[in-house]
Amino acid sequence: MYLKEGCSLLLKVQKPIIPFLLNTNLNLPQPPNPPTTEIKESYVVKRLRQEPCVPLALHFFKSITNSNLFKHTPLTFEVMIRKLAVDGQVDSVQYLLQQMKLQGFRCSEDLFVNVISVYRQVGLSERAVEMFYRIKEFGCDPSVKIYNHVLDILLGENRVQMIYKVYRDMKRDGFEPNVFTYNVLLKALCKNSKVEGAQKLLVEMSNKGCSPDAVSYTTVISSMCELGLVKEGRELAARFEPVVSVYNALINGLCKDGDYRDAFEVMREMVEKGLSPNVISYSTLINALCSFGETELSFSLMAQMLKRGCHPNVHTLSSLVKGCFVRGTSSSDALDLWSSMIRGFELQPNVVAFNTLVQGLCSHGDMEKAMSVFSHMERNGCSPNIRTYGSLINGFAKRGSLQGAVDTWNKMLTSGCSPNVVVYTSMVEALCRHSKFREVESLIEIMCKENCAPSVATFNAFIKGLCDAGRLDWAEKVFIQMEQQYKYPPNIVTYNELLDGLSKANRIEEAYGLTREISKRGVEWSSSTYNTLLHGSCSAGLPWIALQLAGRMVVDGKSPDEITRNMIVLAYCKLRKAERAVQMLDRVSCGGRKSWPDVISYTNVIWGLCSSNSREDAVILLERMISERIVPSVATWNVLVRCFIIDDSNLSS
């Protein structure tokens, strides 16, 4: 698909089939002809182990079998099977096992563990279990070690019911579970949020003389913290000898709950009990502090970390860089921190660290530096992933650079990275900002063909773009299509975009008609819903409706924000009740609120006072505004100039 004005959007790169040219002069290593005299086992074992190419090793294995100069032994079979297992060649492993069986060779415990591990590599846990239950066919007896490996394979695919069955069979066969066995069971229970069962299993372990280890407790407490049971996790941790990994789980749980003060308390407790916090302990807490914008505190913690001889890692770097952007630090400062930490601590940034930096730069609109980091990333052998490309496309979209978004999109596809629904949605936003609505329709069709179904957010972006461009009829068609064709019910964001479009088009009656549908469907109004209608009502000359709506908002339990207050002030002024608006400003100023009133609030009230022929009061309010260090805007001055010009012209006439 091609865009106008020279922008081409390659929505799908059709890679040509590269012909497989087989050169007959390739210098591939060829297996030497086997000796013509009798071959020793040691020679075969050595050749098989030293051969790096698995197909050549297998060729050699077969060739000496056919030469009648050597009869394979259990050891040579085992070496070859191990080699095939590492290479994930399930069928070949199965074939050689059958040959061993036919020749009457027994399969050792270690070899059988290798065999069932092959099935784990290729994600065939059921075949691993089938193979396990045929174990005696191959002359191998089950053991605790083999049972544990089977259980671990099943855990990897979360096959809980099969885990329980194999565990019951293990006990039936008279094998006593060891700590590894119990840890697999604990992980299975916790993976499925069954922490009560996991706690009971800890008790069972102790009762049977198998003491839980650090892995056991860390598994259970980590799961409890993930489920919000941090307090209970701390109580459980108090019952046994403390270990660093358990404390790290508690710190992580508290940080996820936003309770970094208690996380500091847990860290102090660690030190008091003679445990040294490690890089995970510090990095987890630093990450939480940075997420809350507590950058200075996070740097203080890193200083303490260095003082204790614990050096930061890449995760620490990512957290601190993220903190810089959350706090609003300049891009240059974030890049300086990045460079100094990499040099000072000899860190090798991974894709997660690079993505944090790229996303931060994009969120600040510094696309040139973001692209520079992207290029540096590639030069350093760190392959960008979907998050990297997604951040760049979203950054270009927000900046209004369609060409930048398209170039990044095409580079992403050329590199073999397939877009996900988030990236598609960012591309929809970029196209909508340039009114490329037909291209958006084509893009959504391609999403469906590529088995990447559009989300509600995708349609919301499309509807917003249409509403912003005044294409309300088209937006309403997409709204209907979204539900009827794609089976996505609209959410409150969808409705808010339509309400905003209708309000801006001064179709306030239709907007209120839409609110009845919202209520009928049981969709809860958001603060944005109220603010959109407040603005629309004031713009349509219905300030009394706006005030009624503000009252309903409070009754509905929604807290008014700065936008709400500005709309209420405007409504009072339009009703020629500027004194009420001034009272609102007075109440808020007495309360010590920092973010409101703002320049819009003051400008609205000054306009209201001027409209009520109270220009002296308007000037007093202007002086108060300046004294509060709120800089008047062009709109503020325009209101005052018009007021004085009109008054002066009236006096002269």
Side-chain angles (χ1 to χ4, degrees):
M1 178 174 64
Y2 293 92
L3 303 176
K4 295 177 182 178
E5 302 168 357
C7 286
S8 62
L9 177 60
L10 302 178
L11 293 173
K12 181 178 178 182
V13 174
Q14 297 286 353
K15 295 183 180 178
I17 298 173
I18 301 173
F20 224 65
L21 300 176
L22 298 177
N23 190 337
T24 54
N25 295 319
L26 290 176
N27 293 319
L28 290 174
Q30 297 294 326
N33 293 325
T36 53
T37 58
E38 186 177 348
I39 304 170
K40 293 183 178 180
E41 181 189 61
S42 58
Y43 168 77
V44 176
V45 169
K46 183 179 178 182
R47 279 290 309 277
L48 290 174
R49 283 176 175 164
Q50 290 180 346
E51 177 55 65
C53 179
V54 176
L56 287 182
L58 185 60
H59 177 84
F60 171 71
F61 184 89
K62 290 178 179 177
S63 65
I64 57 173
T65 304
N66 298 330
S67 68
N68 295 322
L69 296 172
F70 179 77
K71 185 177 180 181
H72 281 295
T73 65
L75 181 58
T76 57
F77 267 111
E78 186 167 329
V79 171
M80 190 67 244
I81 288 172
R82 284 179 187 274
K83 210 172 188 72
L84 291 166
V86 171
D87 204 42
Q89 296 192 31
V90 178
D91 293 337
S92 296
V93 167
Q94 197 75 40
Y95 172 77
L96 289 188
L97 275 176
Q98 196 63 27
Q99 291 300 308
M100 284 186 74
K101 177 183 171 182
L102 292 173
Q103 293 185 35
F105 294 143
R106 293 174 61 85
C107 180
S108 69
E109 179 188 64
D110 285 343
L111 179 59
F112 200 82
V113 166
N114 271 265
V115 170
I116 59 176
S117 295
V118 180
Y119 295 106
R120 165 181 244 162
Q121 286 176 247
V122 294
L124 296 173
S125 59
E126 287 189 21
R127 283 190 64 178
V129 175
E130 289 172 9
M131 189 69 186
F132 169 70
Y133 283 115
R134 293 176 56 204
I135 187 170
K136 292 189 177 180
E137 291 181 25
F138 302 98
C140 183
D141 293 322
S143 64
V144 173
K145 182 179 179 179
I146 295 174
Y147 265 113
N148 284 346
H149 273 81
V150 174
L151 289 169
D152 200 38
I153 289 169
L154 293 171
L155 174 66
E157 295 186 23
N158 201 25
R159 306 298 291 269
V160 180
Q161 295 306 317
M162 291 182 73
I163 287 173
Y164 295 155
K165 181 183 183 307
V166 171
Y167 175 64
R168 285 194 298 269
D169 291 344
M170 178 182 182
K171 293 207 292 186
R172 180 202 63 198
D173 290 345
F175 293 104
E176 278 298 318
N178 59 18
V179 70
F180 185 93
T181 318
Y182 281 116
N183 284 343
V184 170
L185 295 174
L186 287 169
K187 288 174 185 176
L189 288 165
C190 291
K191 204 171 184 178
N192 292 276
S193 304
K194 297 180 179 179
V195 290
E196 286 186 15
Q199 290 180 75
K200 289 177 182 175
L201 190 59
L202 285 175
V203 175
E204 181 186 320
M205 286 177 71
S206 300
N207 291 341
K208 291 195 173 182
C210 182
S211 299
D213 61 6
V215 175
S216 316
Y217 285 116
T218 305
T219 299
V220 178
I221 290 172
S222 295
S223 183
M224 292 174 78
C225 291
E226 284 174 12
L227 294 171
L229 303 172
V230 183
K231 182 183 176 184
E232 292 82 352
R234 292 182 76 172
E235 290 171 358
L236 178 60
R239 298 179 202 162
F240 59 88
E241 191 70 26
V243 289
V244 173
S245 57
V246 168
Y247 275 109
N248 286 347
L250 291 170
I251 290 169
N252 186 50
L254 289 164
C255 287
K256 282 185 176 179
D257 285 348
D259 192 355
Y260 60 83
R261 288 181 177 81
D262 269 7
F264 269 112
E265 185 60 38
V266 169
M267 189 174 279
R268 277 193 291 271
E269 188 181 311
M270 281 179 75
V271 176
E272 287 170 5
K273 292 191 176 182
L275 296 175
S276 296
N278 61 16
V279 67
I280 298 173
S281 322
Y282 284 112
S283 296
T284 302
L285 192 43
I286 286 171
N287 183 57
L289 291 168
C290 289
S291 297
F292 285 102
E294 298 284 356
T295 315
E296 290 82 0
L297 194 53
S298 66
F299 278 106
S300 298
L301 185 59
M302 192 176 83
Q304 183 189 119
M305 173 183 179
L306 294 172
K307 189 177 178 181
R308 290 182 178 276
C310 182
H311 280 218
N313 61 13
V314 176
H315 182 63
T316 324
L317 168 67
S318 300
S319 300
L320 289 169
V321 168
K322 178 182 72 176
C324 288
F325 290 113
V326 170
R327 188 63 188 271
T329 308
S330 69
S331 299
S332 299
D333 288 344
L335 286 166
D336 288 344
L337 171 67
W338 171 274
S339 300
S340 62
M341 284 192 70
I342 287 174
R343 286 196 305 269
F345 302 108
E346 298 181 348
L347 300 176
Q348 289 293 328
N350 57 15
V351 68
V352 175
F354 273 114
N355 283 348
T356 303
L357 182 58
V358 168
Q359 186 176 10
L361 292 167
C362 290
S363 67
H364 275 49
D366 204 336
M367 298 310 299
E368 291 77 11
K369 288 177 181 174
M371 289 303 296
S372 175
V373 171
F374 175 79
S375 300
H376 178 74
M377 180 179 182
E378 290 186 304
R379 287 196 303 272
N380 279 265
C382 185
S383 299
N385 62 14
I386 191 62
R387 287 198 64 183
T388 324
Y389 289 111
S391 294
L392 290 168
I393 290 170
N394 187 54
F396 281 119
K398 294 287 189 287
R399 196 179 178 186
S401 172
L402 179 58
Q403 187 64 61
V406 168
D407 289 346
T408 307
W409 174 277
N410 291 339
K411 185 173 180 61
M412 173 185 69
L413 293 180
T414 305
S415 71
C417 188
S418 298
N420 59 19
V421 66
V422 176
V423 177
Y424 271 114
T425 301
S426 294
M427 199 67 231
V428 166
E429 289 178 11
L431 291 166
C432 283
R433 282 174 179 260
H434 290 262
S435 299
K436 305 286 185 183
F437 302 124
R438 292 296 176 196
E439 287 80 357
V440 171
E441 285 187 326
S442 300
L443 189 60
I444 289 174
E445 288 175 7
I446 288 171
M447 288 180 74
C448 297
K449 290 177 184 175
E450 294 293 322
N451 293 320
C452 181
S455 66
V456 175
T458 314
F459 287 107
N460 288 349
F462 191 11
I463 289 169
K464 175 179 169 54
L466 290 166
C467 289
D468 288 346
R471 307 294 295 272
L472 288 173
D473 292 342
W474 196 344
E476 288 169 353
K477 286 179 183 177
V478 173
F479 176 81
I480 294 167
Q481 181 188 35
M482 167 186 174
E483 188 165 18
Q484 292 184 355
Q485 182 178 339
Y486 293 96
K487 310 303 179 188
Y488 284 120
N491 60 16
I492 193 59
V493 178
T494 322
Y495 283 115
N496 287 346
E497 298 300 350
L498 284 173
L499 288 171
D500 187 51
L502 291 168
S503 297
K504 285 176 180 175
N506 205 25
R507 291 160 62 174
I508 196 67
E509 288 185 14
E510 292 177 60
Y512 275 101
L514 187 60
T515 63
R516 287 190 286 274
E517 180 184 330
I518 298 173
S519 300
K520 186 178 178 181
R521 286 187 171 220
V523 179
E524 185 180 354
W525 290 27
S526 66
S527 295
S528 295
T529 315
Y530 283 104
N531 288 341
T532 301
L533 291 169
L534 283 168
H535 184 270
S537 299
C538 287
S539 300
L542 303 169
W544 61 92
I545 299 291
L547 292 176
Q548 290 173 11
L549 196 61
R552 175 181 166 181
M553 181 180 184
V554 175
V555 171
D556 196 24
K558 299 290 185 296
S559 298
D561 57 16
E562 285 70 27
I563 298 172
T564 318
R565 294 188 188 94
N566 285 339
M567 288 299 103
I568 294 171
V569 163
L570 181 60
Y572 277 129
C573 291
K574 281 181 174 281
L575 288 169
R576 295 191 175 275
K577 294 181 179 180
E579 69 282 355
R580 294 289 300 275
V582 173
Q583 288 171 9
M584 276 189 68
L585 298 186
D586 291 340
R587 282 200 303 271
V588 174
S589 296
C590 291
R593 189 180 295 274
K594 300 296 182 185
S595 60
W596 196 85
D598 56 17
V599 65
I600 297 172
S601 325
Y602 275 108
T603 302
N604 284 340
V605 180
I606 289 171
W607 172 82
L609 291 168
C610 289
S611 300
S612 302
N613 297 318
S614 301
R615 67 181 188 177
E616 292 81 5
D617 291 336
V619 171
I620 292 170
L621 194 62
L622 175 69
E623 292 172 351
R624 171 178 154 185
M625 176 183 182
I626 294 169
S627 70
E628 291 182 3
R629 297 184 180 180
I630 298 173
V631 180
S633 66
V634 174
T636 317
W637 294 116
N638 284 343
V639 167
L640 286 163
V641 169
R642 288 195 195 98
C643 175
F644 279 87
I645 289 173
I646 291 169
D647 276 6
D648 289 345
S649 63
N650 288 338
L651 286 171
S652 62
S653 61

